[in-house]
Amino acid sequence: MLDELLIYNQAFVQNQEYKQYISAKFPNKKIAILTCMDTRLTELLPAALGLKNGDVKLIKNAGAVISSPFGSVMRSLIVAIYELGVHEILVIGHHDCGMQSLDSANILQKMQNRHISSEKIEFMRSCGVDFEKWLNGFSSVEESVKASVKTIVNHPLIPEDVQVHGLIMHPTTGKIDRVR
Ligand code: ZN
């Protein structure tokens, strides 16, 4: 698969197709978006919001979740605010998210099927990894988005003048509803 992509890349650069994407590293709209890595949103989300290359900082992970107040998502948001001029943050979850049905026991079983030994899993438990928490999804996307917004708003390192919004997108139509 990679070879195919690299052949495409050669032609892309050669034909100067990058020219239409040239932009600055500071986001034009001063917005950062935290959203899900769902493949349906890759092009749909920017298109449904009228966003072009250079408009926003886009942070993605499984479920648009902030799993730790000092993890990589909050770190990225802090860099976006203090170094890149972001004034507004949108947390965009989506309906039919894979993280809604995620079950840690199921993943642990799949790991064992792929020859991850139970010794390794027990070792990680002894190091403090709480698989039931770490690998479990959420039951309601609304609640998950609200929780992420709350984590950002109440974060001790986020300035008060930064606006934070919670939204949910339909993964087919791109329709957005406000959560808060
Ligand atoms: Zn998702």
Side-chain angles (χ1 to χ4, degrees):
M1 192 66 214
L2 174 62
D3 290 342
E4 213 175 282
L5 300 183
L6 292 178
I7 289 168
Y8 184 93
N9 177 257
Q10 260 186 353
F12 178 88
V13 177
Q14 228 153 42
N15 302 334
Q16 300 191 343
E17 287 180 56
Y18 57 84
K19 281 190 167 170
Q20 59 185 311
Y21 300 107
I22 290 175
S23 58
K25 68 174 181 174
F26 296 98
N28 294 329
K29 296 194 188 293
K30 301 185 189 305
I31 288 175
I33 296 178
L34 168 62
T35 188
C36 182
M37 66 184 192
D38 193 295
T39 45
R40 292 168 293 180
L41 303 188
T42 306
E43 285 192 56
L44 177 68
L45 185 137
L49 291 170
L51 299 173
K52 300 274 176 287
N53 212 43
D55 277 351
V56 300
K57 293 288 159 194
L58 198 51
I59 302 159
K60 292 192 165 200
N61 66 20
V65 166
I66 300 175
S67 45
S68 158
F70 297 99
S72 69
V73 171
M74 280 311 306
R75 184 165 171 265
S76 300
L77 289 173
I78 283 164
V79 171
I81 291 167
Y82 290 104
E83 290 294 315
L84 301 163
V86 160
H87 282 207
E88 202 166 353
I89 296 169
L90 317 183
V91 177
I92 308 183
H94 67 99
H95 297 293
D96 190 34
C97 185
M99 288 299 279
Q100 244 165 311
S101 52
L102 200 73
D103 170 39
S104 61
N106 190 14
I107 296 185
L108 286 170
Q109 183 56 54
K110 285 178 178 167
M111 285 175 182
Q112 298 210 320
N113 297 347
R114 299 279 293 273
H115 312 297
I116 306 295
S117 67
S118 40
E119 286 77 21
K120 281 184 187 165
I121 290 170
E122 284 318 310
F123 174 71
M124 290 196 63
R125 278 196 205 283
S126 71
C127 294
V129 178
D130 181 352
F131 286 103
E132 284 63 40
K133 195 169 170 228
W134 189 50
L135 290 178
N136 254 346
F138 44 76
S139 49
S140 147
V141 65
E142 284 85 358
E143 292 310 313
S144 173
V145 167
K146 277 186 198 168
S148 295
V149 169
K150 208 173 150 192
T151 301
I152 301 168
V153 169
N154 294 333
H155 199 283
L157 303 178
I158 298 290
E160 276 177 17
D161 58 346
V162 171
Q163 292 183 59
V164 188
H165 311 283
L167 306 153
I168 295 177
M169 175 167 275
H170 191 287
T172 307
T173 65
K175 183 179 187 294
I176 289 238
D177 292 308
R178 272 181 97 135
V179 174
R180 67 166 275 176

